[in-house]
């Protein structure tokens, strides 16, 4: 078996400056700590972000995402450490002198100015000529599709329209680094996908570096070159979207991105394969399972571990699959139908429910597996990840 | 809401209440059109007191002085009051903040006689010639705290991220204030200014302590005239004041009603 330690980076293999030891980062957080009184909002955090990256920050509410952006934009002073931009320490440079623009979570549109004036505000401060400002503003208005609303005040716009004005305003000066704090939250799905696409295009055309906060994992997976998962002011894992999804380093990360099943198991044997471990383990009902890790961990023989299994990697069948491993029997207790796929909630033991996903190839009325059916769950031997308990 | 039915009790108390409030003013207005010089005896309709008023330069001069003082003092009070509101709101917890805010708000509750007396003592001690400027200074002193109160209450709901956005887009703190903060809080500064203006127009007590040559305001003029006996002329000028105030109140009501309608329309637009 040679499945372990594989890299899931095939998608973004062309652009990966973080693997290049000669590349100089655009932004460096060096042991940055930010305290509000006794409360530690950012805790001794170090991070490199490279030019042309689309860097996504993910994490639960209050974990410090906005604070990171405010530190970068210069609205908050840091308590310890320093922040470098292009190798220069910018910790003490005021916000108006940083080549950084921010789109605020609250939009912060100027209420006394109309859409055009809001978007052109930054250019006016730069002392650009009227004609130049007009051209650029028109371009941006096209981009965010606000042609009919150029003369309206923010209070005359809907939430989504305001969000687009805020986005256009932050793009106007073509900053080296653009900070987007939940930029697309108020848009409907169609417009959001379109804007995501536009953002990615822009970023490629202009060679800008984007840092984005989002609560939408799908969005992060779509746009980001790398994702940082945060918890309580610390970075838990920084990796490409594929790595974060396929090779989370902790239960926290696995749980945060996408759906996942955690099943308790005990380690029987461990084999080292390159820089990963291949584990054979036993579940509490004596089923034998295979699991892998993505790096050498502290897991030892006899340890309790979590078997982490994504629902889409588990097959559901009525017939018993061949082999004596990586399979479980149970009863369907619930079916979640979302159109293209169905999620089967299968009770394995009294307190263990495993979710498995199946693409709906048949029409709903021809569904083969239904409530209270006895089914077999099974998965490939490289599907399960072993995580420290 | 429950519809209140007509009862004699309600009707009577309403009439009595309004009569209590407006009968004196109504009498004043009526008697300003009295032909007779006697204040309490009706001698037929006439507008002669208004004509006489127009020809009497004493009152016109006093009105002009009052207006000038009101403009000067309310403008200064608006500037100083806004600055102090900003400091109170922005500076966070500096040492002596409580003392500072207490000192700004103190004139609100200080008896006018004491404010007037202390200012008089100050001006005398400093050897300043009393008159136009001393009254203006005195009015700035007591009316700026009203501006501070009004502007402070606006700043509480002011979104600081607007200023941050301005800084982010290249403003210096000063240009951010001029281009973003000030326009947004302007309505409260203006209503503070109006408040200071009316306070200055009304004031008798502090003005009489700090007045001097060239500083005879309308209230002072009226008060000294009344001491010589009430005349229909005074009724006339008072009626004019009542008229001006009524017009101002009506204009304010109409414009705020229109602002409300505009806001409702905007909301409607935004949701469409
Ligand atoms: N000015 C402040 N004073 C004190 N605590 C603050 C301040 N600003 C933020 N915090 C705290 O710092 C923590 C991180 O806040 P931050 O705004 O960065 O969260 P976030 O990750 O952006 O959350 P959300 O997803 O809800 O926007 C929070 O617990 C918050 O209460
Ligand atoms: Mg936030």
């Amino acid at each position: 078996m040679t499945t372990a330690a594989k890299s899931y980076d095939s998608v973004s293999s062309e652009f990966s400056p973080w693997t290049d030891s000669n590349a100089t980062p655009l932004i460096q957080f060096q042991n940055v700590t930010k305290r509000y009184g006794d409360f530690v909002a950012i805790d001794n955090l170090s991070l490199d972000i490279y030019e042309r990256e689309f860097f996504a920050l993910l994490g639960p509410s209050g974990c410090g995402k906005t604070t990171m952006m405010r530190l970068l934009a210069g609205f908050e002073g840091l308590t310890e450490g320093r922040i470098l931009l292009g190798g220069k320490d910018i910790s003490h440079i005021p916000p108006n002198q940083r080549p950084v623009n921010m789109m605020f979570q609250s939009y912060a549109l100027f209420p006394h100015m109309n859409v055009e004036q809001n978007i052109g505000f930054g250019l006016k401060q730069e002392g650009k000529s009227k004609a130049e400002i007009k051209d650029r503003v028109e371009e941006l208005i096209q981009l965010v599709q606000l042609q009919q609303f150029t003369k309206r005040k923010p209070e005359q716009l809907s939430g989504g329209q305001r969000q687009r004005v805020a986005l256009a305003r932050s793009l106007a000066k073509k900053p080296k680094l653009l900070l987007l704090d939940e930029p697309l939250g108020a848009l409907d799905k169609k417009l959001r996908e379109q804007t995501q696409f536009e953002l990615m295009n822009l970023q490629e055309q202009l060679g800008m570096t984007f840092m984005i906060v989002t609560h939408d994992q799908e969005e992060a997976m779509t746009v980001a070159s790398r994702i940082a998962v945060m918890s309580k002011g610390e970075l838990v894992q920084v990796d490409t979207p594929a790595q974060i999804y396929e090779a989370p380093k902790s239960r926290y990360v696995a749980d945060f991105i996408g759906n996942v099943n955690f099943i308790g198991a005990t380690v029987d044997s461990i084999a080292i394969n390159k820089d990963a471990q291949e584990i054979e383990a036993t579940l509490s009902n004596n089923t034998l399972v295979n699991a892998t890790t993505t790096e050498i961990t502290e897991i030892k023989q006899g340890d309790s571990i979590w078997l982490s299994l994504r629902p889409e990697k588990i097959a559901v069948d009525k017939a018993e699959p061949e082999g004596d491993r990586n399979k479980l029997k149970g009863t369907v207790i619930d079916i979640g139908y979302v159109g293209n796929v169905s999620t089967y909630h299968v009770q394995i033991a009294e307190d263990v429910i495993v979710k498995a996903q199946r693409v709906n190839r048949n029409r709903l009325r021809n569904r083969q597996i239904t409530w209270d059916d006895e089914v077999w769950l099974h998965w490939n031997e490289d599907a399960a990840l072993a995580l420290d308990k | 809401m429950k519809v209140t039915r007509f009862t004699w009790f309600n009707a009577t108390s309403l009439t009595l209440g309004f009569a209590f409030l407006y009968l004196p003013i109504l009498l004043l207005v009526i008697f300003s059109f009295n032909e007779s010089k006697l204040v309490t005896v009706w001698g037929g309709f006439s507008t002669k007191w208004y004509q006489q008023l127009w020809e009497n330069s004493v009152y016109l001069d006093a009105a002009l002085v009052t207006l000038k003082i009101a403009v000067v003092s309310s403008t200064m009070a608006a500037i100083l009051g806004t600055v102090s509101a900003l400091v109170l709101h922005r500076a966070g917890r500096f040492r002596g903040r409580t003392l500072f805010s207490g000192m700004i708000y103190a004139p609100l509750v200080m008896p006018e006689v004491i404010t007037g007396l202390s200012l008089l003592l100050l001006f005398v001690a400093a050897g300043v010639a009393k008159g136009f400027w001393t009254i203006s200074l005195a009015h700035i002193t007591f009316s700026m705290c009203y501006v501070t109160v009004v502007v402070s209450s606006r700043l509480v709901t002011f979104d600081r991220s607007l200023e941050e956005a301005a800084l982010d887009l290249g403003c210096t703190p000063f240009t951010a204030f001029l281009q973003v903060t000030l326009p947004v809080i302007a309505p409260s500064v203006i209503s503070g200014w109006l408040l200071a203006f009316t306070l200055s127009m009304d004031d008798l007590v502090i003005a009489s302590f700090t007045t001097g040559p060239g500083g005879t305001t309308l209230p002072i003029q009226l008060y000294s005239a009344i001491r010589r006996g009430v005349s229909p002329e005074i009724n006339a000028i008072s009626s004019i004041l009542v008229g001006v105030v009524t017009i101002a109140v009506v204009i304010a009501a109409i414009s705020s009603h229109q602002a409300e309608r505009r806001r409702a329309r905007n909301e409607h637009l935004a949701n469409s």
Side-chain angles (χ1 to χ4, degrees):
Chain A
M1 226 171 73
T2 54
T3 48
K6 70 166 131 183
S7 169
Y8 297 91
D9 271 342
S10 55
V11 191
S12 49
S13 55
E14 313 108 51
F15 179 74
S16 52
W18 50 88
T19 56
D20 179 0
S21 54
N22 292 325
T24 44
L26 178 67
I27 297 149
Q28 289 167 283
F29 280 77
Q30 295 182 338
N31 302 92
V32 172
T33 297
K34 171 71 193 173
R35 283 192 214 101
Y36 293 108
D38 290 337
F39 179 79
V40 185
I42 300 292
D43 195 1
N44 193 20
L45 182 149
S46 296
L47 173 68
D48 290 347
I49 299 172
Y50 295 84
E51 205 162 326
R52 310 179 80 96
E53 261 206 87
F54 207 130
F55 194 89
L57 283 178
L58 235 59
S61 189
C63 69
K65 305 181 294 290
T66 300
T67 307
M68 291 258 299
M69 295 208 154
R70 294 176 58 80
L71 288 172
L72 267 176
F75 304 134
E76 304 280 357
L78 22 87
T79 319
E80 279 162 34
R82 36 181 219 160
I83 298 177
L84 310 185
L85 188 121
K88 262 197 351 231
D89 189 349
I90 56 162
S91 311
H92 302 290
I93 292 181
N96 51 323
Q97 288 162 27
R98 298 188 185 195
V100 176
N101 281 147
M102 175 154 171
M103 177 184 161
F104 289 74
Q105 199 169 5
S106 61
Y107 314 150
L109 297 177
F110 305 128
H112 56 296
M113 296 181 197
N114 65 24
V115 169
E116 279 178 338
Q117 290 164 331
N118 261 289
I119 296 177
F121 187 85
L123 301 169
K124 205 175 115 196
Q125 304 310 315
E126 272 181 338
K128 287 254 159 52
S129 76
K130 277 230 169 75
E132 226 173 326
I133 295 176
K134 192 162 166 281
D135 288 349
R136 179 91 183 109
V137 169
E138 251 165 42
E139 207 178 297
L140 287 158
I141 283 175
Q142 292 274 341
L143 175 75
V144 293
Q145 297 179 16
L146 287 170
Q147 293 91 331
Q148 305 152 25
F149 306 107
T150 51
K151 296 286 184 257
R152 285 206 191 169
K153 296 272 175 69
E155 57 172 351
Q156 296 167 304
L157 299 171
S158 73
Q161 290 161 352
R162 280 178 215 174
Q163 199 165 43
R164 282 182 273 160
V165 178
L167 180 62
R169 189 180 68 179
S170 64
L171 284 168
K173 287 176 78 176
K174 299 184 186 164
K176 256 194 190 156
L177 173 67
L178 182 60
L179 306 171
L180 304 161
D181 200 349
E182 298 194 33
L184 313 176
L187 304 185
D188 62 63
K189 201 166 157 61
K190 270 260 163 63
L191 193 58
R192 178 156 24 142
E193 279 170 5
Q194 208 176 325
T195 317
Q196 282 169 9
F197 205 69
E198 284 297 344
L199 279 180
M200 287 161 76
N201 262 348
L202 266 172
Q203 191 247 3
E204 243 159 58
Q205 278 170 24
L206 306 176
M208 287 157 78
T209 307
F210 283 24
M211 188 162 169
I212 188 172
V213 168
T214 171
H215 277 291
D216 180 352
Q217 308 159 18
E218 215 175 292
E219 183 168 293
M221 305 281 292
T222 313
V223 299
S225 60
R226 279 193 304 164
I227 295 177
V229 180
M230 292 184 72
S231 163
K232 295 186 188 138
E234 291 181 74
L235 294 174
V236 188
Q237 188 172 352
V238 182
D239 253 320
T240 61
Q243 285 282 354
I244 292 266
Y245 190 80
E246 298 284 344
K249 292 203 168 104
S250 63
R251 180 176 167 148
Y252 179 85
V253 175
D255 209 12
F256 198 79
I257 311 282
N259 257 316
V260 66
N261 296 297
F262 295 109
I263 308 170
T266 313
V267 176
D268 297 329
S269 67
I270 300 177
I272 305 278
N273 185 331
K274 286 194 212 144
D275 50 0
Q277 293 158 299
E278 291 187 359
I279 293 171
E280 288 184 329
T282 317
L283 304 186
S284 57
N285 64 356
N286 293 326
T287 312
L288 288 177
V289 291
N290 294 99
T292 57
T293 63
T294 49
E295 58 186 1
I296 304 295
T297 61
E298 310 219 310
I299 297 173
K300 299 182 303 291
Q301 196 171 352
D303 278 359
S304 303
I305 54 165
W306 287 114
L307 207 63
S308 151
L309 267 169
R310 299 275 181 202
E312 74 275 9
K313 295 199 164 55
I314 306 179
V316 194
D317 269 311
K318 280 193 167 169
E320 181 170 358
E322 288 171 15
D324 57 348
R325 293 180 166 214
N326 303 321
K327 62 181 189 182
L328 284 166
K329 197 172 145 184
T331 317
V332 176
I333 57 163
D334 204 0
I335 303 174
Y337 172 76
V338 290
N340 53 345
V341 294
S342 290
T343 305
Y344 294 83
H345 298 243
V346 178
Q347 185 134 33
I348 303 300
E350 191 151 354
D351 54 348
V352 185
I353 293 168
V354 173
K355 284 174 279 180
Q357 234 166 35
R358 225 174 117 111
V359 178
N360 292 323
R361 290 176 162 218
N362 295 320
R363 291 214 157 245
L364 197 54
R365 59 174 181 274
N366 299 334
R367 183 144 65 189
Q368 289 156 332
I369 299 170
T370 178
W371 278 265
D372 296 330
D373 280 357
E374 290 245 308
V375 291
W376 282 94
L377 302 176
H378 58 105
W379 55 92
N380 293 342
E381 61 185 20
D382 63 347
L385 216 60
L387 296 175
D388 238 331
K389 209 164 188 175
Chain B
M1 210 168 69
K2 219 176 101 188
V3 180
T4 323
R5 289 241 309 280
F6 177 88
T7 65
W8 281 110
F9 177 75
N10 284 350
T12 318
S13 42
L14 198 68
T15 316
L16 280 177
F18 272 111
F20 183 74
L21 283 176
Y22 289 106
L23 205 58
I25 295 176
L26 194 67
L27 277 178
L28 183 136
V29 175
I30 290 172
F31 276 105
S32 73
F33 292 104
N34 194 356
E35 169 75 44
S36 157
K37 199 174 166 55
L38 295 167
V39 192
T40 46
V41 182
W42 181 253
F45 181 83
S46 139
T47 55
K48 72 173 180 190
W49 303 114
Y50 287 90
Q51 275 161 19
Q52 219 170 70
L53 197 64
W54 185 245
E55 284 148 20
N56 189 343
S57 69
V58 174
Y59 286 115
L60 282 182
D61 288 349
L64 206 63
V65 168
T66 314
L67 209 62
K68 273 196 208 155
I69 290 176
V71 169
V72 168
S73 71
S74 60
T75 307
M76 281 308 293
I79 295 170
L80 292 175
T82 305
V83 170
S84 66
L86 281 167
V87 170
L88 274 180
H89 196 251
R90 294 293 158 76
R93 320 233 126 255
F94 60 92
R95 267 175 71 106
R97 184 181 194 278
T98 322
L99 185 69
F100 185 73
S101 63
M103 274 164 57
I104 284 187
Y105 292 138
L108 282 177
V109 290
M110 190 81 80
E112 285 185 332
V113 180
I114 293 180
T115 312
L117 187 63
S118 56
L119 282 165
L120 173 67
L121 291 178
L122 174 75
F123 292 140
V124 170
V128 186
K130 291 194 293 157
F132 179 87
W133 287 108
T134 47
I135 300 188
S136 300
L137 268 178
H139 282 182
I140 295 168
T141 316
F142 87 93
S143 61
M144 81 169 247
C145 59
Y146 290 86
V147 180
T148 306
V149 171
V150 175
V151 175
S152 286
S153 66
R154 173 65 186 91
L155 284 174
V156 171
T157 57
F158 178 77
D159 183 4
R160 278 305 290 279
S161 63
L162 291 184
E163 267 176 11
E164 289 175 345
L167 292 178
D168 192 55
L169 293 166
C171 282
T172 63
F174 183 65
T175 54
F177 175 76
L178 284 188
Q179 296 191 34
V180 174
T181 316
L182 197 56
V184 174
I185 65 166
S188 69
V189 177
I190 290 171
S191 47
W193 182 88
L194 273 174
L195 194 60
F197 187 85
T198 42
L199 283 170
S200 167
M201 293 272 286
D202 284 355
D203 172 63
L204 171 65
V205 178
I206 291 174
S208 38
F209 275 104
T210 50
T211 189
T216 310
T217 64
L218 200 53
I220 293 175
Q221 185 66 44
L222 280 176
Y223 187 66
S224 61
I226 288 167
R227 275 195 299 195
R228 276 180 267 121
V230 183
S231 77
E233 208 174 8
I234 291 175
N235 284 351
I237 195 161
S238 306
S239 301
I240 292 175
L241 283 179
V242 169
V244 168
V245 170
T246 311
I247 289 169
V249 168
V250 168
I251 288 174
I254 289 176
S255 72
S256 82
H257 179 68
Q258 276 175 347
E260 181 60 30
R261 285 227 323 246
R262 199 165 50 233
R263 204 182 55 77
R265 202 176 56 231
N266 288 343
E267 265 176 17
H268 182 72
L269 261 181
N271 294 330
S272 64

